[in-house]
Amino acid sequence: MEHLISLFFRSIFVDNMIFAFFLGMCSFLAVSKNVKTSLGLGAAVTFVLVVTVPVDYLLQTKVLDPLGLSYLSFILFIAVIAGIVQIVEMVVEKYTPALYDALGIFLPLIAVNCAIMGASLFMQQRINLDPNNTQYIGSVWDSIVYAFGSGLGWMLAIVSMGAIRERLQYSDVPKPLQGLGITFILVGLMAMAMMCFSGLKI
Amino acid sequence: MALFNKQNKEVFASPLNLNNPIMVQVLGICSALAITSQLKPAIVMGLAVTIITAFSNVIISLIRKTIPTRIRIIVQLVVVAALVTIVSQILKAFAYDVSVQLSVYVGLIITNCILMGRLEAFAMMNKPWPSFLDGLGNGLGYAIILVVVGTVRELFGRGSLLGFQIIPDSFYSAGYVNNGMMTMPAMALILLGCVIWVHRSFFYKEEK
C-alpha cells in the first residue's frame, strides 16, 4: 500500500510526463490554448492510459516474456493502443454521448500521442527494477496506479499551461517569439519549477 | 535528369529550412527535447528518424492505392512499428551504449508526429520517389535541430563534444564551471524556444 501511494505521487510530480520526459508534447502544444479543451484532452489521455497500460502489462508479463518475444513489443503495444482507442471511442459514443461530444476529436488523436506509448514502454522497463525502488511496477495494481498518476500529471501540466496561455493573450511578446517560441520558454520555466519536487518521498 | 527535377529538389530542400518539421510544422517535439543532452545520441536519433521516415514513406506510397481509408492509421502504425523494431534491434546489436541512453525514445519514434504527419500529408498522395525525398528531407531537417541543441547543451553542460573534452583545463583552473542547468530537461525547452526565435526573426522578415 505504501508503495502504491509513493508510486502515485512520484508519477504525478517527479516523473511528470511533460516536464521530465517531454511525452505528448505535440498535442500539449497544439491543444493548450484554453482551459476547457485542455481539461477535455487531459481527461481523455488519463482515461486511455488507465485502460491501456494494465493491458500492456499483462501482455508483457504473461505472453511476451514467457515466449521470449519481447522484441515484438513495439508492434504489439501500438496495435493494442490503436485498437483500444477505437473501442473506447465506440463505447463512449454509444453510452455517454455527452462525454463523446466533450472529448470530440481528441479521442482518435490519442492513438498517436507519445504519452500513451511512452507510459507502456516505461512500464516495460520498470518491471525489471529492484522491488524496493519506488518506480518498480510489479503487479497489475502498480501499473494501474502508475497510469492514473501519469495521466493526472499530464492533465495538471496541460491545464496550467492552458490557463497561462489564456492570460498570455494580453501581454506584449516580441514578434518572432510569439506563439510557439514563448510557449517553449514557458514550458521550460514550468519544468524548472517542477524540479523542486525531485527527491520527493512519501 | 528526371530524378532530380526542380519539383523534387523543392520537396527535399524545403523541410531543411523554411518548412522545418520542428520549428515550423511543430512535429516530433517529444524526442527532440529528451535525447539532446549530449551530441552522440542526438546524431544517432536524427539518423534513425531520417531512415525510418524515408523508408516508411516509400512503403506507404507503394501500397497507398490498396489501403482502405478507414483503417489507414493502423496500417501506417504497423509499417512504422516494424521499421522501428528493426532499427532498435540493429542499435542494440551494434551500438549498445547509445541504445541504453536513448532508452524508450527509440520505441517512441513510432508515435513521432513527423512520421504520421508525412505519411498522411505526403506519402498517401505521391509516388514513391518524391515520397522518399520528402522523408529524407524531413528527417534531416529534424536531425539539424537535434544536432544544434545537442551541441549547445553538451558544450556548455559538460565542456565536451561527442565525449571529447573541448574546454581546456586552464579554463577550469581559472574558475570556469560547467553549467549543470544545461543538462536538465528544462533547459532543452528554453533553448529550443530560442532557436525558434532566432529562426523566425531571420526568415520571416523577408516575406513581409
Side-chain angles (χ1 to χ4, degrees), chain A residues 176-177 180-182 184-185, chain B residues 16-17 20 22-24 29 32-33 36 141-153 182 187-204:
Chain A
L177 199 56
L180 192 56
I182 190 71
F184 270 119
I185 293 179
Chain B
L16 292 182
N17 189 4
N20 189 287
I22 291 190
M23 291 187 294
V24 183
I29 310 286
L33 296 161
T36 48
Y142 171 84
I144 288 175
I145 306 296
L146 288 199
V147 168
V148 169
V149 179
T151 309
V152 175
R153 283 182 77 187
M182 279 286 178
M187 221 37 216
L189 288 158
I190 295 180
L191 265 179
L192 193 56
C194 295
V195 169
I196 291 170
W197 187 2
V198 172
H199 178 259
R200 292 211 170 160
S201 56
F202 271 104
F203 289 100
Y204 278 72

Side-chain angles (χ1 to χ4, degrees), chain A residues 19 21-26 71 74-75 78 112 114 117-118 121-122 125 176-178 180-181 184 187-188 191-192 195, chain B residues 23 26 28-30 33-34 81 85 89 103-105 107-108 110-111 113 181 185-186 189-190 192-193 196-197 200-201:
Chain A
F19 297 128
F21 300 116
F22 314 107
L23 295 178
M25 281 304 274
C26 308
Y71 60 88
F74 293 163
I75 295 183
I78 199 70
V112 286
C114 357
M117 184 72 182
L121 292 174
F122 274 120
Q125 278 190 340
L177 199 56
Q178 270 172 13
L180 192 56
F184 270 119
V187 183
M192 265 188 225
M195 265 161 56
Chain B
M23 291 187 294
V26 206
I29 310 286
C30 327
L33 296 161
T85 308
Q89 295 297 318
S103 76
V104 298
Y105 293 98
L108 286 177
I110 299 172
T111 50
C113 335
M181 196 67 212
L189 288 158
I190 295 180
L192 193 56
I196 291 170
W197 187 2
R200 292 211 170 160
S201 56

Side-chain angles (χ1 to χ4, degrees), chain B residues 38-45 97-98 101 154 162:
Chain B
Q38 287 175 52
L39 189 53
K40 197 176 165 193
I43 293 175
V44 174
M45 186 72 176
D97 52 328
V98 181
Q101 268 180 323
E154 193 176 352
L162 288 170

Side-chain angles (χ1 to χ4, degrees), chain B residues 132 140 156:
Chain B
F132 181 73
L140 287 175
F156 292 104

